[in-house]
Amino acid sequence: MTAAREFPHDFLWGCATSAYQIEGSPLADGAGPSIWHRFTRTPGLVRDGDSGDVACDHYRRYADDVKLMQRLGLNAYRFSIAWGRVMPEGKGRVNAGGLDFYERLVDALLEAGIQPMATLYHWDLPAALDDRGGWLNPDIAGWFADYATAVYRRLDGRVKLWATLNEPWVVTDGGYLHGALAPGHKNRFEAPLASHHLMRAHGAAVQAYRAVGKHQVGLVVNIEPKYPASDSAADAAATRRADAYMNRQYLDPALLGHYPPEMQEIFGEAWPDWPAEDFALIRQPIDFIGLNYYTRSVTRHDDASWPLYASGVRQPQATYSETGWEVFPQGLTDTLNWIRERYGNPPLYITENGSAFYDPPVAPGDELPDPLRVDYLDRHLRAVQQARADGCDIRGYFAWSLLDNFEWSLGYSKRFGIVHVDFATQRRTLKSSARRYAAVIASRGGVLSD
């Protein structure tokens, strides 16, 4: 392997999870319910009636899970903090029991030589704040900053990498426009408001960190590169709208101080005239961007697909995961280079990258073979190598996910973990992808050239 493709000694090799997807015990030790606790109790919204009430039981088994990370050679772990554990009503009173859990987790990670990266918001808004309008209420920026400050004061120093939001696009598109995710709204006028208040909250949380924190804070976005299905003007316009809506809607205000002009075209009268001072709040200097990459979209004009009038075209002879996502590693290299070119080469972490494939039944004591996930992992890590060789400032990679877990409205029907979880017994079994990832880490990527 050439020097340009070697991963440096200080490169972070991690896995990522989120609180509601793995922790279980959602109301333990004084925690308040989240919108997902409520959403999963509404019949017909989650596959098979599943919930995160138990999930991977990580709240009680975190020490063993940290030992598992150590066994794989991870030197970093990205997790999220449940807002309702820290502030059961979403604002005001701080719940010591909730913060104590995250302190124990962080201390266990550090003792194992694993650097924590903490995400402050991964979709589990306190239900009490949803009752006050949730992300539609402009006061939420201040509420989020107060919550963030309480966490910073307790954990900063031991946690040196902080992310404000995870995937604001999913929060808004799934939760406020199409209703597939909590809180389950379907409203064209609500979606822009939710997006804008998410970004204002991000800016307020960064400001709060500069006041009390001493390390690094950033934003995590999911990017799905859009490629036109043909050379037609209609497909080109559809691709431009889709890219603005999913990819530029959040990075442009955070890094450039404005929304893409296509947003007015997409939402029409539902797109407000935002105050200039809001962009001063949103565009706070940040230390890194977290990129979540899973797939691409080959995009065509589609009159039936509101509000973008764009839809994806399935590619012949391509491999697709169980979530219907095309395996396309080149899209990761393209995305990393696009961020470098558009936004001035900010420091980057691949904060999520993974795949859901069918896993066969597990026999006691056996490693579970998952060749498609091994191939996915290898090819995407090579794509990261290529982007680094192209000059992208990539400082770490976090596989999604450490454990099979609760996959939101899909329940437990899709498995993304490199470690299999038997949800009846909570037994963890390494998959071949976990072994392969451990080998990649141990060789600093050397085995990828084999």
Side-chain angles (χ1 to χ4, degrees):
M1 183 186 299
T2 65
R5 288 181 177 265
E6 290 177 354
F7 289 97
H9 288 282
D10 60 353
F11 193 81
L12 294 188
W13 297 101
C15 283
T17 64
S18 87
Y20 190 78
Q21 291 182 272
I22 69 164
E23 285 179 357
S25 305
L27 303 182
D29 299 321
S34 73
I35 53 174
W36 273 96
H37 189 77
R38 180 179 287 170
F39 193 78
T40 58
R41 281 158 171 74
T42 306
L45 296 183
V46 177
R47 183 166 175 169
D48 300 324
D50 289 337
S51 78
D53 285 3
V54 178
C56 305
D57 199 25
H58 177 76
Y59 191 80
R60 299 191 304 158
R61 300 170 185 264
Y62 73 90
D64 288 339
D65 288 338
V66 171
K67 291 176 183 176
L68 182 59
M69 298 176 214
Q70 189 177 32
R71 179 180 169 192
L72 295 176
L74 304 188
N75 65 4
Y77 173 56
R78 177 177 173 243
F79 63 96
S80 78
I81 294 171
W83 189 342
R85 291 201 192 278
V86 176
M87 290 183 169
E89 293 81 37
K91 63 190 190 78
R93 178 177 65 90
V94 174
N95 175 39
L99 272 175
D100 287 348
F101 166 70
Y102 293 109
E103 187 166 53
R104 292 193 299 271
L105 172 61
V106 167
D107 287 348
L109 290 167
L110 293 175
E111 187 176 348
I114 298 170
Q115 180 170 344
M117 175 187 279
T119 302
L120 291 167
Y121 186 73
H122 198 130
W123 310 357
D124 47 359
L125 185 72
L129 293 188
D130 191 51
D131 292 339
R132 295 173 176 264
W135 291 110
L136 304 177
N137 189 327
D139 292 340
I140 199 166
W143 301 337
F144 187 61
D146 289 345
Y147 150 64
T149 298
V151 178
Y152 298 150
R153 285 178 171 158
R154 184 72 171 269
L155 295 176
D156 188 59
R158 284 173 289 175
V159 176
K160 297 181 180 180
L161 289 172
W162 296 92
T164 55
L165 307 175
N166 179 79
E167 299 183 350
W169 178 82
V170 178
V171 176
T172 300
D173 182 79
Y176 289 89
L177 185 64
H178 293 114
L181 303 174
H185 298 191
K186 300 178 183 180
N187 190 303
R188 177 167 63 108
F189 286 82
E190 288 186 358
L193 287 173
S195 283
H196 191 65
H197 294 323
L198 279 157
M199 295 309 296
R200 289 179 58 251
H202 156 73
V206 174
Q207 278 187 335
Y209 188 72
R210 300 305 179 203
V212 300
K214 295 181 173 63
H215 302 283
Q216 296 192 344
V217 63
L219 172 69
V220 172
V221 294
N222 58 305
I223 300 294
E224 184 181 284
K226 312 295 183 181
Y227 302 80
S230 76
D231 294 332
S232 74
D235 285 355
T239 302
R240 176 177 49 79
R241 288 191 300 273
D243 175 66
Y245 175 63
M246 187 169 186
N247 300 332
R248 287 180 278 131
Q249 183 181 180
Y250 302 96
L251 285 181
D252 275 11
L255 299 177
L256 303 179
H258 58 77
Y259 286 112
E262 294 89 349
M263 300 309 298
Q264 177 73 61
E265 175 188 351
I266 292 165
F267 282 101
E269 63 176 341
W271 186 255
D273 186 12
W274 305 110
E277 58 267 25
D278 284 3
F279 294 99
L281 173 63
I282 292 169
R283 193 186 182 186
Q284 297 296 310
I286 55 177
D287 301 302
F288 66 87
I289 290 293
L291 168 65
N292 296 353
Y293 176 84
Y294 290 94
T295 189
R296 69 160 173 176
S297 174
V298 177
T299 306
R300 67 178 178 89
H301 178 83
D302 183 354
D303 285 327
S305 181
W306 173 91
L308 300 179
Y309 303 106
S311 61
V313 179
R314 192 173 177 91
Q315 298 301 291
Q317 299 181 329
T319 300
Y320 282 80
S321 71
E322 285 218 321
T323 50
W325 299 341
E326 181 190 358
V327 177
F328 191 71
Q330 182 62 44
L332 177 54
T333 304
D334 292 348
T335 297
L336 290 163
N337 278 308
W338 172 75
I339 293 173
R340 174 176 59 84
E341 293 162 5
R342 183 174 180 84
Y343 301 110
N345 204 18
L348 285 165
Y349 294 92
I350 313 301
T351 39
E352 292 180 24
N353 178 233
S355 55
F357 291 110
Y358 170 76
D359 289 331
V362 181
D366 285 354
E367 178 180 299
L368 189 150
D370 60 339
L372 289 175
R373 194 174 289 105
V374 170
D375 179 69
Y376 182 101
L377 185 70
D378 274 14
R379 293 171 64 194
H380 284 80
L381 284 166
R382 291 188 191 109
V384 175
Q385 286 180 325
Q386 182 59 57
R388 290 191 68 252
D390 293 339
C392 297
D393 185 4
I394 306 162
R395 302 185 179 187
Y397 175 92
F398 294 78
W400 184 272
S401 177
L402 177 68
L403 304 169
D404 291 333
N405 55 45
F406 176 77
E407 188 52 36
W408 307 111
S409 58
L410 298 175
Y412 295 97
S413 66
K414 302 293 183 266
R415 292 179 176 268
F416 279 88
I418 61 172
V419 177
H420 179 275
V421 178
D422 182 325
F423 294 108
T425 66
Q426 291 297 328
R427 183 165 62 91
R428 275 73 160 142
T429 302
L430 295 184
K431 303 180 187 181
S432 299
S433 54
R435 298 284 190 192
R436 178 61 174 177
Y437 191 35
V440 171
I441 295 168
S443 67
R444 290 195 293 123
V447 297
L448 296 171
S449 62
D450 293 349

